[in-house]
Amino acid sequence: MLVQVSGCCIGSIEQEYRAWTFSWVLFLAVSLIRAWSINCTKFEIVGEIANVDTIDQGSGIRDISLLRKQYGLGDWRKQKGIAQIKLPDGSMVMAEIHWHEAHSIGKVKIKIKEWL
């Protein structure tokens, strides 16, 4: 049913809104699936990690209480870098990775953030 109001068709506005809503929901679903597939991928770091940079340190880390509870006290830093990664199918790819690190504990919670 279309209702004409001062040269505007309400039915067409409703259709455009539905199309926009559907495309937004589809975008969110695809983004969530990509994020899940990246973080659920088993991988092995091959060689050195390049361009290492500290993102956050100490109490600035959002998961600091969880890190201390799971791994113990330490000077925790969240870091990022670029590494060559070997995937389970044997292919080698470059990716930006993020991880948490403490001096006496080492690297934990290594995640792939972006394929390069």
Side-chain angles (χ1 to χ4, degrees):
M1 177 175 95
L2 298 177
V3 179
Q4 187 83 18
V5 179
S6 66
C8 178
C9 204
I10 292 177
S12 67
I13 293 173
E14 186 177 315
Q15 288 173 347
E16 286 180 29
Y17 175 75
R18 284 185 183 161
W20 178 84
T21 303
F22 177 75
S23 65
W24 182 247
V25 169
L26 185 63
F27 168 76
L28 288 175
V30 169
S31 298
L32 288 173
I33 290 169
R34 268 189 79 214
W36 177 80
S37 68
I38 286 174
N39 290 327
C40 290
T41 304
K42 302 292 182 203
F43 60 91
E44 178 183 340
I45 297 174
V46 179
E48 296 289 318
I49 301 173
N51 301 338
V52 176
D53 188 23
T54 300
I55 300 172
D56 228 336
Q57 186 172 341
S59 62
I61 300 173
R62 187 175 13 170
D63 303 336
I64 191 70
S65 61
L66 181 66
L67 289 168
R68 288 179 177 157
K69 208 179 284 184
Q70 284 184 340
Y71 301 102
L73 295 174
D75 181 24
W76 286 101
R77 293 179 305 277
K78 182 169 184 174
Q79 296 187 310
K80 68 178 182 176
I82 296 174
Q84 188 164 12
I85 292 173
K86 183 177 181 182
L87 299 175
D89 65 356
S91 61
M92 305 284 273
V93 294
M94 293 293 285
E96 179 181 324
I97 57 174
H98 289 197
W99 69 93
H100 292 89
E101 183 175 36
H103 177 66
S104 59
I105 298 166
K107 293 179 180 69
V108 296
K109 296 191 172 209
I110 302 173
K111 297 178 188 174
I112 298 172
K113 283 297 183 176
E114 186 179 354
W115 304 110
L116 302 176

